[in-house]
């Protein structure tokens, strides 16, 4: 019935399968109840920070609850979009909470038990909680590469100590034996498997995720360095991470073990196909001189800090993701490592304030900042005042605004909720999820968007649309036209507003239909008129209405 749960049982365990079945069935009903409640509770806002409180106090095994969420997400067809949307949010939250717990446990271990690879996997898991990423799988892929290196090494030196069944670390004086390992690694990684630094798409977040580095065989200096260092250590060569500015490196000791002389080391550029560099060549790499401190070894926590810092910078650059999910995730990770960092706490407070989400959490963060650094009182006071105003406005909100097509002021609104449209000027495909009889944006937005240059200016209906590139836009009626070949819009928020894609249009979910009660009939009539040519897609869509 639930085959994905088999991994939680051993064949030798004495299990009461009836009790297990009852527990899983009960967890499934509870998950369905909670998912169904989310649309009504949180349609008008992001799920608040305390919105998951009833999930955190579940009276059933969490893996049963997660399994039901996965069943919802894997439902076939184009139905159940709203359930899938909220099931995904709940699963995202549950898995991230568990990964944060694992990260904090990892950071509390002695440094010699903090694997660089495990740290990279934890970051990867937190930013991609719905992907199937686990340390065991990643380690198996690294082990496979290590075995390939051993095969090359065996052809070059059949008696190499790294080939022994229980090979240990190669002593520092045996530089030539270590060099043979590194040469074999370079042969396998860069010549056979074609790993390379991603120079063409350097600022892609996938370059920072270790499981993607293994799949795509490309990355940035720090992710490739973690892979390179892990393989080398498994083969007995102790490489160390170097937090070199602008370009992460590894170092390989050529002198006395533990030497503080930077000239006793060769520096390795995993991004540059394992090239071995002198101190002077490291400076040529980045184009300027640096002090000796930048050649020193760093801890696993500092390596993770730099990896998360890279993701933070990418999150700030992200322009299409209006939820700033990468920035939010990387801030969570950074503050898990450095919970009292005022700069990043302030960034988190400003981000939530900007997004208009979690005002109560914003106040908690600001209170923490004020306790850590009273000199921040000006910025803190400003945000506190405006956050309190936001909370008061939310309390004053009455029920949802209902827009009837039959109202005289709505007579010029031609299009309806759920229709697949095309922008005449920019060519993007989109779906309508809201409309106003005239432009409701402020004067500054109207001026910046050059709305007055349109023939009808702001005095025409405007539509809220979800765009195929993941953005949300506000489009003038005269700029939209029916899409002659309607198709699904791959937008992350599609399930927030729609329950089903019929093949030619979207069906509003209950909460959206309450706000636009007369649109469904108009949408139905519109698509009958547009697609009356008897296309198979239209007929298939009509079956969905029945």
């Amino acid at each position: 019935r639930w085959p994905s749960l088999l991994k939680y049982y051993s064949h030798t365990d004495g299990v009461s399968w009836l009790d297990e079945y009852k527990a899983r069935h009960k967890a499934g009903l509870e998950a369905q109840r909670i998912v169904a409640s989310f649309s009504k509770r949180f349609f008008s806002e992001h799920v608040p920070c305390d919105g998951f409180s009833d999930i955190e106090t579940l009276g059933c095994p969490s893996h049963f609850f997660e399994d039901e969420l996965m069943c919802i997400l894997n439902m076939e067809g184009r139905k159940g979009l709203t359930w899938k949307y909220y099931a995904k949010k709940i699963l995202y939250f549950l898995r991230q909470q568990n990964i944060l717990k694992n990260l904090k446990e990892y950071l509390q271990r002695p440094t010699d038990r903090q694997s660089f690879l495990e740290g990279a996997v934890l970051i990867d898991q937190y930013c991609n909680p719905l992907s199937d990423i686990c340390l065991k799988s990643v380690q198996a892929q690294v082990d496979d590469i290590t075995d390939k290196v051993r095969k090359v090494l065996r052809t070059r030196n059949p008696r190499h100590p790294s080939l022994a069944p229980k090979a240990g670390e190669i002593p520092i004086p045996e530089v030539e034996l270590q060099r043979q390992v590194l040469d074999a690694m370079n042969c396998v990684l860069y010549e056979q498997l074609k790993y390379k630094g991603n120079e063409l798409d350097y600022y892609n977040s996938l370059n920072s995720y270790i499981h993607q580095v293994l799949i795509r065989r490309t990355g940035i200096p720090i992710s490739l360095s973690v892979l390179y260092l892990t393989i080398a250590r498994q083969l007995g060569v102790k490489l160390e991470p170097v937090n070199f500015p602008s370009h992460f490196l590894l170092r390989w000791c050529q002198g006395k073990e533990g030497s503080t002389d930077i000239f006793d080391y060769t520096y390795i550029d995993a991004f540059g196909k394992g090239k071995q560099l002198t101190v002077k060549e490291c400076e040529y790499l980045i184009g300027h001189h640096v002090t000796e401190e930048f050649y020193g070894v760093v801890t696993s926590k500092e390596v993770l800090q730099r990896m998360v810092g890279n993701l933070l910078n990418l999150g700030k650059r992200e322009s299409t993701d209006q939820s700033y999910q990468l920035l939010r995730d990387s801030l969570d990770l950074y503050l898990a490592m450095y919970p009292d960092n005022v700069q990043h706490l302030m960034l988190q407070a400003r981000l939530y304030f900007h997004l208009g989400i979690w005002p109560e959490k914003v106040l908690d963060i600001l209170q923490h900042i004020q306790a850590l650094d009273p000199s921040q009182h000006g910025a803190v006071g400003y945000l506190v005042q405006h956050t309190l105003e936001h909370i008061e406005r939310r309390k004053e909100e009455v029920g949802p605004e209902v827009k009837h097509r039959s109202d005289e002021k709505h007579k010029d609104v031609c299009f309806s909720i759920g229709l697949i449209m095309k922008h005449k000027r920019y060519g993007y495909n989109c779906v309508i999820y809201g409309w106003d009889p005239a432009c409701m944006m402020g004067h500054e937005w109207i001026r910046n968007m050059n709305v007055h240059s349109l023939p009808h200016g702001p005095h025409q209906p405007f539509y809220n649309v979800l765009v195929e590139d993941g953005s949300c836009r506000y489009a003038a009626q005269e700029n939209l036209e029916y899409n002659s070949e309607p198709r699904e819009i791959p937008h992350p928020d599609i399930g927030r507003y729609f329950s089903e894609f019929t093949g030619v249009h979207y069906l509003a979910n209950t909460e959206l239909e309450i706000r636009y009660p007369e649109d469904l009939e108009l949408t139905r009539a519109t698509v009958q008129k547009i697609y009356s040519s008897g296309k198979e897609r239209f007929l298939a869509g009509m079956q969905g209405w029945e």
Side-chain angles (χ1 to χ4, degrees), residues 453-523:
S453 66
L454 297 172
H456 296 92
H459 308 297
Q460 61 175 310
F462 270 69
Y463 298 85
N464 301 102
V465 295
L466 300 177
V467 184
E468 58 191 343
D469 65 2
S471 64
C472 304
R473 305 192 189 183
Y474 196 49
Q477 180 164 282
E478 65 185 77
N479 279 337
L480 293 176
E481 61 184 358
Y482 297 119
N483 194 318
S484 59
E485 296 184 355
R487 57 178 179 266
E488 287 187 83
I489 303 297
H491 193 285
D493 282 345
I494 203 80
R496 182 177 179 182
Y497 304 101
F498 302 104
S499 61
E500 180 183 343
F501 180 62
T502 68
V504 287
H505 78 106
Y506 280 92
L507 290 178
N509 62 22
T510 303
E511 297 305 313
L512 189 62
E513 194 173 351
I514 288 172
R515 290 155 175 79
Y516 299 90
E518 298 168 6
D519 271 46
L520 178 59
E521 288 302 321
L522 180 60
T523 299

Side-chain angles (χ1 to χ4, degrees), residues 135-401:
L135 178 60
K136 185 177 180 181
S137 170
V138 171
Q139 184 65 63
Q141 294 176 72
V142 174
D143 290 345
D144 184 57
I145 298 172
T146 305
D147 287 340
K148 286 181 169 63
V149 176
R150 285 196 181 96
K151 287 180 182 178
V152 171
L153 198 55
R154 186 173 287 110
T155 63
R156 298 179 179 185
N157 183 357
R159 297 185 178 181
H160 196 284
S162 293
L163 300 175
K166 295 184 178 180
E169 193 173 294
I170 304 172
I172 292 293
E174 303 290 349
V175 172
E176 182 54 35
L177 289 175
Q178 293 188 359
R179 188 184 305 279
Q180 290 174 12
V181 171
L182 298 180
D183 288 346
M185 282 177 54
N186 291 343
C187 173
V188 170
L189 280 172
Y190 304 112
E191 294 177 27
Q192 293 183 10
L193 299 179
K194 306 298 182 185
Y195 275 80
K196 61 181 179 179
N198 196 346
E199 296 177 344
L200 296 177
D201 194 14
Y202 190 88
Y203 296 104
N204 188 328
S205 61
L206 297 182
N207 294 325
S208 294
Y209 303 141
I210 193 69
H211 88 284
Q212 288 289 351
V213 171
L214 290 165
I215 292 170
R216 300 162 72 239
R217 300 187 182 184
T218 189
I220 53 176
I222 193 166
S223 57
L224 290 170
S225 291
V226 167
L227 176 61
Y228 197 99
L229 174 150
T230 301
I231 297 169
R233 289 193 171 190
Q234 289 185 184
L235 293 167
V237 180
K238 186 182 178 182
L239 300 183
E240 298 173 304
V242 176
N243 214 1
F244 204 65
S246 304
H247 198 107
F248 199 87
L249 296 171
L250 300 170
R251 73 179 193 181
W252 170 33
C253 187
Q254 308 282 288
K256 185 179 179 182
E257 186 172 3
S259 171
T260 57
D261 186 347
I262 63 173
F263 294 98
D264 281 344
Y265 294 87
T266 292
Y267 299 87
I268 296 175
D269 179 13
F271 185 82
K273 298 187 175 182
K275 185 176 181 182
Q276 296 172 10
L277 308 170
T278 64
V279 169
K280 185 58 68 176
E281 287 171 330
C282 290
E283 294 181 350
Y284 289 152
L285 187 66
I286 60 173
H288 61 84
H289 173 71
V290 295
T291 55
E292 289 193 7
E293 63 183 295
F294 290 103
Y295 291 91
V297 67
V298 289
T299 65
S300 53
K301 184 176 180 180
E302 290 169 314
V303 172
L304 297 196
Q305 178 186 353
R306 180 147 172 180
M307 294 184 86
V308 171
N310 289 338
L311 291 169
L312 265 170
N313 290 329
L314 292 176
K316 293 174 185 175
R317 293 164 60 102
E318 192 62 68
S319 58
T320 58
D321 180 11
Q322 296 181 346
S323 69
Y324 292 93
Q325 192 63 58
L326 178 58
L327 182 55
R328 288 157 61 183
D329 290 344
S330 48
L331 272 172
D332 288 345
L333 288 166
Y334 197 98
L335 291 169
M337 294 188 285
Y338 302 96
D340 294 334
N341 185 288
V342 171
Q343 178 187 354
H344 289 86
L345 283 168
M346 184 62 80
L347 176 58
Q348 189 176 59
R350 289 183 185 278
L351 176 62
Y352 291 160
F353 177 77
H354 167 74
L355 294 173
I357 62 174
W358 300 358
E360 291 81 6
K361 183 166 184 175
V362 172
L363 293 178
D364 289 341
I365 297 170
L366 294 172
Q367 186 178 12
H368 186 40
I369 293 171
Q370 188 63 36
L372 291 170
D373 185 2
S375 69
Q376 298 285 336
H377 66 274
V380 167
Y382 173 85
L383 286 173
V384 166
Q385 177 187 342
H386 287 274
T387 301
L388 289 172
E389 290 174 0
H390 172 72
I391 292 173
E392 287 303 313
R393 284 197 302 272
R394 196 173 63 180
K395 288 179 181 177
E396 294 170 3
E397 289 177 358
V398 291
E401 180 187 2

